[in-house]
């Protein structure tokens, strides 16, 4: 059921126009923000015996990332100590990972996640796909710059040495940050592209992968959405299921992610969150990464899609899958 979402209620949800415009995060900048006062509260929470985790949760979950950067700077100015090092020594496990993620600037966190996904033995391809196939051009270009300045490495080079074949080409295309971003749809082009994709896959023996790469890497998301609609008419089958029939493995996941983002980006993240918690064990890194990276962008919409797709709220699933301060902080970010 490649084009269905789990539970099989109908095809992948397409996004109402209203939703694409007014995406919003669950975290807003705090009014009457005072970085020095917050730094002082955090210092008290960590001083002496034991740690007052609730005080840390209250501050971190109710400040924007930009405000957290100011708290970090104030802390160092006031105490001559590094807030992150202090937090690290007081916290551990998932709670530590979540707090550290919240204190990283967004671009740095994406770059760090990519670096982590490729470091050491084995590569976490899902992470590469989740970041590189869903971000905007500007986000990608900033990630590439940050990756170079912070890790002294060329992102594209690292991708080339860690991946191969059609998957490598797709990710190299993605890290150019060159997708067309014109929001106007050219319906004739959508029709032509649909025809091309049909002839590159279903309409022939074997698959012309480069045609899929070219169209999915260059066209704007609204344009791809129109192409998917045209494709259903041309092929009598939706493009997501054709991709599943023509491709496999990582390149299949990458191409599908691009199409899912064209249809409905919040639904893509809702699905990733669901699978991070479904079944035995929790993929905490994915849970943390998505909650943190979307918290000021579209987590409100992701929660709505989650409920629509799985008939339960994101917070109920977090409650049953996590515990302690980690759970408290996740819930404080996600909101009820």
């Amino acid at each position: 059921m490649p084009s269905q979402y789990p539970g099989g209620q109908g095809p992948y949800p397409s996004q109402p126009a209203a939703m694409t415009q007014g995406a919003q995060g669950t975290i807003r900048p705090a009014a009457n923000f005072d970085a020095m006062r917050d730094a002082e509260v955090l210092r008290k929470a960590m001083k002496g015996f034991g740690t007052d985790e609730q005080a840390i949760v209250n501050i971190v979950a109710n400040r924007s990332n930009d405000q957290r950067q100011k708290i970090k700077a104030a802390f160092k100015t006031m105490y001559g100590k590094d807030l992150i090092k202090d937090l690290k020594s007081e916290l551990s496990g998932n709670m530590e990972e979540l707090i550290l993620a919240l204190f990283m600037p967004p671009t740095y966190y994406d770059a760090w996640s990519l670096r982590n996904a490729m470091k050491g033995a084995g590569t976490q391809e899902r992470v590469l796909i989740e970041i590189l196939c869903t971000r905007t051009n500007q986000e990608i270009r900033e990630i590439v710059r940050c990756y170079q300045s912070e890790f002294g490495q060329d992102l594209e080079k690292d991708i080339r040495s860690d991946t191969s074949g059609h998957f490598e080409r797709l990710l190299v295309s993605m890290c150019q940050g060159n997708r067309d971003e014109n929001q106007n749809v050219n319906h004739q082009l959508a029709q032509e592209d649909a025809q091309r994709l049909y002839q590159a896959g279903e309409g022939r023996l074997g698959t012309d992968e480069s045609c899929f790469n070219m169209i999915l890497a260059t066209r704007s998301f609204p344009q791809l959405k129109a192409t998917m609609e045209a494709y259903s008419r041309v092929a009598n089958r939706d493009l997501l299921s054709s991709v599943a029939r023509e491709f496999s493995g990582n390149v299949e996941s990458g191409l599908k992610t691009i199409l899912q983002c064209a249809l409905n980006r919040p639904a893509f993240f809702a699905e990733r969150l669901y699978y991070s918690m479904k079944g035995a064990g929790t993929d905490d890194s994915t849970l943390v990464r998505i909650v943190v990276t979307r918290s000021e962008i579209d987590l409100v919409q992701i929660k709505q899609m989650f409920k629509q797709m799985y008939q339960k709220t994101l917070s109920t699933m977090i409650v049953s899958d996590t515990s302690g301060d980690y759970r408290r902080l996740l819930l404080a970010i996600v909101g009820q």
Side-chain angles (χ1 to χ4, degrees):
M1 252 181 357
S3 67
Q4 311 284 89
Y5 48 85
Q9 319 89 319
Y12 206 79
S14 177
Q15 204 167 0
M19 231 164 89
T20 28
Q21 264 65 62
Q24 64 210 119
T26 53
I27 291 185
R28 299 285 169 81
N32 315 320
F33 169 66
D34 179 343
M36 287 173 84
R37 187 181 57 209
D38 285 351
E40 203 172 339
V41 172
L42 289 175
R43 173 96 170 107
K44 278 204 183 100
M46 294 185 286
K47 231 178 133 184
F49 188 67
T51 308
D52 179 358
E53 276 93 356
Q54 190 57 51
I56 298 176
V57 167
N58 290 346
I59 286 186
V60 176
N62 295 297
R63 305 291 182 270
S64 66
N65 189 284
D66 191 50
Q67 290 175 331
R68 290 183 215 117
Q69 302 314 316
K70 294 188 168 107
I71 296 170
K72 234 176 5 187
F75 193 92
K76 192 166 265 186
T77 304
M78 292 161 73
Y79 306 111
K81 295 180 75 174
D82 189 313
L83 173 59
I84 302 307
K85 278 199 183 124
D86 276 16
L87 286 166
K88 262 182 146 154
S89 66
E90 298 288 331
L91 305 165
S92 63
N94 294 324
M95 180 64 168
E96 178 185 347
E97 188 179 345
L98 177 53
I99 293 264
L100 296 188
L102 287 162
F103 273 103
M104 291 182 199
T107 303
Y108 178 85
Y109 184 37
D110 276 348
W112 177 87
S113 299
L114 291 170
R115 178 91 179 104
N116 243 24
M118 292 186 281
K119 243 168 63 182
T123 303
Q124 296 167 298
E125 290 87 358
R126 300 293 311 172
V127 179
L128 305 184
I129 292 168
E130 182 201 300
I131 295 174
L132 294 170
C133 296
T134 66
R135 304 301 192 246
T136 64
N137 287 350
Q138 191 190 347
E139 286 167 339
I140 297 235
R141 288 173 180 180
E142 286 169 0
I143 290 166
V144 169
R145 270 200 301 272
C146 177
Y147 195 93
Q148 179 69 57
S149 64
E150 294 294 331
F151 309 117
Q153 303 271 38
D154 182 331
L155 177 57
E156 189 185 314
K157 253 202 197 123
D158 280 1
I159 287 170
R160 284 183 192 280
S161 66
D162 264 60
T163 59
S164 61
H166 297 293
F167 182 54
E168 173 193 334
R169 288 177 216 169
L170 180 65
L171 292 186
V172 167
S173 294
M174 290 300 104
C175 70
Q176 304 314 303
N178 257 335
R179 180 181 299 286
D180 175 32
E181 286 191 335
N182 175 2
Q183 296 301 293
N184 300 325
V185 171
N186 174 341
H187 289 283
Q188 193 185 339
L189 177 64
Q191 191 57 43
E192 288 164 11
D193 280 349
Q195 202 64 53
R196 271 187 214 144
L197 290 168
Y198 180 72
Q199 274 148 11
E202 299 280 3
R204 58 169 286 175
L205 202 60
T207 309
D208 174 3
E209 292 89 356
S210 65
C211 176
F212 279 83
N213 193 94
M214 187 280 287
I215 292 171
L216 271 65
T218 60
R219 306 294 187 245
S220 72
F221 284 124
Q223 182 67 34
L224 283 174
K225 193 174 173 179
T227 306
M228 290 171 86
E229 284 156 14
Y231 185 88
S232 301
R233 294 192 292 273
V234 170
N236 252 334
R237 160 175 291 134
D238 69 294
L239 186 51
L240 278 165
S241 53
S242 285
V243 165
R245 286 159 60 102
E246 299 288 328
F247 294 87
S248 62
N250 294 316
V251 68
E252 177 195 347
S253 302
L255 294 170
K256 279 177 156 172
T257 297
I258 294 167
L259 294 174
Q260 288 170 332
C261 279
L263 270 185
N264 186 334
R265 195 189 258 113
F268 166 75
F269 287 114
E271 186 178 13
R272 293 279 290 143
L273 283 168
Y274 178 76
Y275 280 112
S276 75
M277 293 181 281
K278 187 186 184 294
T282 304
D283 174 359
D284 290 289
S285 290
T286 296
L287 177 56
V288 165
R289 196 174 51 251
I290 294 177
V291 166
V292 172
T293 55
R294 309 316 289 182
S295 61
E296 292 182 50
I297 300 176
D298 53 5
L299 192 51
V300 169
Q301 281 66 35
I302 292 169
K303 281 164 60 182
Q304 289 166 351
M305 287 315 311
F306 192 95
K307 193 164 183 205
Q308 194 182 315
M309 288 160 71
Y310 304 110
Q311 282 80 53
K312 59 175 132 185
T313 64
L314 175 56
S315 50
T316 45
M317 202 154 175
I318 288 173
V319 166
S320 60
D321 256 67
T322 59
S323 62
D325 297 308
Y326 173 54
R327 175 203 279 171
R328 281 221 299 265
L329 180 49
L330 281 171
L331 291 174
I333 298 165
V334 168
Q336 290 311 309

